[in-house]
């Protein structure tokens, strides 16, 4: 899941553009805390799928590259070139820097798209959540001891 610089490629999308063809019975999620991000993966083989906010009204899904690279088609071919890099302060090496105008434009465009999803009601189409806004499966929240052990291992 990590690249040579210790990072993970994540594709930010509106959840309404995500669909599962099969295997939804294996979808599960966990969270590092009671109010933290939901981290979705498969129960059967632990393949990471992506992250979502707990509140489905915040229409966002960050899909992990390992579940998107299929059939020899690159992420760039499927989703376009990388637009921005975030959280690079802990990278091993020197990742490419964001162009400030491109970064600002990308953030504003994404936030605008999230706002439109909320206003239009399109946030309700979300394969990670039920129609009432509850997660599709009950998230497993790590205990403080589990979380501490996890951070020590990393």
């Amino acid at each position: 899941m990590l690249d040579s610089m210790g990072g993970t490629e994540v594709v930010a999308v509106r959840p309404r553009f995500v669909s599962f063809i099969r295997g939804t019975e294996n979808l599960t999620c966990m969270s590092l805390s009671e109010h933290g991000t939901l981290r979705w993966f498969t129960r059967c083989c632990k393949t990471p799928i992506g992250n979502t906010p707990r509140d489905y009204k915040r229409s966002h899904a960050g899909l992990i590259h390992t579940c998107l690279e299929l059939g020899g088609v690159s992420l760039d071919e499927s989703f376009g070139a990388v637009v921005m890099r975030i959280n690079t302060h802990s990278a091993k090496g020197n990742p490419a820097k964001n162009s400030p105008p491109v970064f600002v434009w990308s953030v504003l465009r994404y936030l605008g798209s999230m706002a439109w999803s909320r206003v239009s009601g399109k946030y309700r189409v979300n394969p990670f959540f039920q129609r009432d806004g509850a997660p599709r499966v009950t998230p497993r929240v790590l205990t403080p001891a589990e979380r501490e052990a996890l951070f020590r291992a990393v």
Side-chain angles (χ1 to χ4, degrees), residues 33-104:
S33 68
E34 282 292 329
H35 303 288
T37 298
L38 297 180
R39 298 159 191 274
W40 297 88
F41 60 98
T42 59
R43 180 184 341 269
C44 53
C45 62
K46 309 290 188 245
T47 298
I49 305 226
N51 303 320
T52 64
R54 280 184 178 270
D55 181 358
Y56 85 129
K57 292 178 184 175
R58 291 175 46 211
S59 184
H60 166 75
L63 302 179
I64 309 298
H65 71 96
T66 52
C67 76
L68 300 173
E69 296 172 333
L70 298 172
V73 178
S74 72
L75 287 181
D76 285 356
E77 289 174 285
S78 297
F79 297 97
V82 172
V83 176
M84 71 173 126
R85 292 172 174 82
I86 60 172
N87 299 330
T88 59
H89 58 278
S90 61
K92 299 173 184 173
N94 297 308
K97 301 293 183 205
N98 293 308
S99 159
V102 171
F103 181 79
V104 170

Side-chain angles (χ1 to χ4, degrees), residues 127-141:
F128 299 101
F129 291 85
Q130 299 172 40
R131 293 293 282 169
D132 66 358
R136 186 179 195 126
V137 295
T138 303
R140 180 180 180 281
V141 178

